[in-house]
Amino acid sequence: QVQLVESGGGVVQPGGSLTLSCSVSGITLSRYGMHWVRQAPGKGLEWVAYIKSDGSNKYYADSVGGRFTISRDNSKSTLYLQMNSLRSEDTAVYYCARAHGTGIGHWGQGTLVTVSS
Amino acid sequence: SYVVTQSPSVSVAPGQTARITCGGDNIGSKSVFWDQQKPGQAPVLVVYGDNDRPSGIPERFSASSSGNTATLTISRVEAGDEADYYCQVWDGSSDWVFGGGTKLTVL
């Protein structure tokens, strides 16, 4: 059974940094592309970033490009999202998700990031 | 960038059929994924691609697309189907896009 467990969320001041982790079990992580998706309070889903199975390609939403970095350590079955220069509008639940074909097939439970002074 | 639009809400009586649409330029040529999200929970994929369902998803959930519209159909709607539904599409390049979500209310 696939399990995706996010961690690292919390409260951070504007301009600060935070790194999220996603521990993956039940699958061989190296076989799958992975995504980060976020959801601001009371709002819809917003795709954030994607990384190919071997880490060779990475893509970002325009809203986070240049500030966020997605990475992975397949040997540790872990996905990461390094977030810098955080803004209030980055406040959201962040989900890690496994790719399925051209879409998203399986979601974690999410971790809340709050950017506030 | 590619844009997809959904109606904000749909209401249906139990036992009836709900149809939730997702509009986008030539979306019929793309692989559309549909997620269900209940309050306080993570999204769950219910239908994807050419009307495929992950294991555990009832056959009552089906999807189709043509032209500029993709449709999620929920037959014999139950109270437990009440949720937000999102369509997701890959633009074919480097961007994944979600619709704004449709709130399904079971009357």
Side-chain angles (χ1 to χ4, degrees):
Chain A
Q1 182 177 355
V2 181
Q3 279 201 318
L4 309 175
V5 179
E6 302 91 338
S7 61
V11 180
V12 60
Q13 291 188 340
S17 298
L18 206 60
T19 298
L20 306 182
S21 300
C22 173
S23 178
V24 180
S25 60
I27 58 171
T28 302
L29 181 60
S30 61
R31 296 180 179 174
Y32 295 95
M34 295 293 292
H35 297 268
W36 286 99
V37 177
R38 68 184 180 183
Q39 186 170 34
K43 302 298 184 182
L45 300 170
E46 178 188 16
W47 173 75
V48 172
Y50 168 82
I51 184 167
K52 196 176 175 182
S53 57
D54 61 0
S56 60
N57 292 90
K58 303 175 184 181
Y59 303 111
Y60 300 92
D62 290 344
S63 58
V64 305
R67 299 188 300 123
F68 289 13
T69 301
I70 189 172
S71 63
R72 62 195 297 158
D73 187 336
N74 288 337
S75 67
K76 295 182 178 179
S77 293
T78 303
L79 176 74
Y80 303 99
L81 185 68
Q82 169 71 40
M83 304 184 295
N84 298 327
S85 302
L86 283 162
R87 307 166 180 167
S88 58
E89 54 263 37
D90 295 318
T91 294
V93 174
Y94 285 74
Y95 296 100
C96 78
R98 188 204 75 192
H100 183 96
T102 61
I104 293 170
H106 193 90
W107 301 72
Q109 287 303 303
T111 187
L112 176 62
V113 173
T114 302
V115 184
S116 174
S117 54
Chain B
S1 63
Y2 193 77
V3 176
V4 293
T5 58
Q6 294 182 243
S7 297
S9 63
V10 167
S11 299
V12 64
Q16 299 303 303
T17 298
R19 293 180 178 84
I20 296 169
T21 60
C22 180
D25 184 36
N26 199 26
I27 198 170
S29 69
K30 301 182 182 298
S31 184
V32 181
F33 287 57
W34 292 93
D35 296 297
Q36 175 194 69
Q37 186 179 35
K38 297 182 179 179
Q41 297 184 21
V44 173
L45 180 67
V46 291
V47 185
Y48 64 96
D50 294 329
N51 197 24
D52 295 313
R53 290 181 308 280
S55 60
I57 302 299
E59 293 183 1
R60 301 185 296 103
F61 289 82
S62 64
S64 62
S65 66
S66 178
N68 295 325
T69 304
T71 303
L72 172 69
T73 300
I74 309 172
S75 304
R76 301 180 300 283
V77 167
E78 303 172 357
D81 298 331
E82 188 162 285
D84 294 326
Y85 292 84
Y86 295 90
C87 58
Q88 45 155 312
V89 176
W90 176 51
D91 74 348
S93 177
S94 60
D95 202 11
W96 282 261
V97 181
F98 288 92
T102 297
K103 179 177 180 59
L104 174 66
T105 299
V106 181
L107 301 172

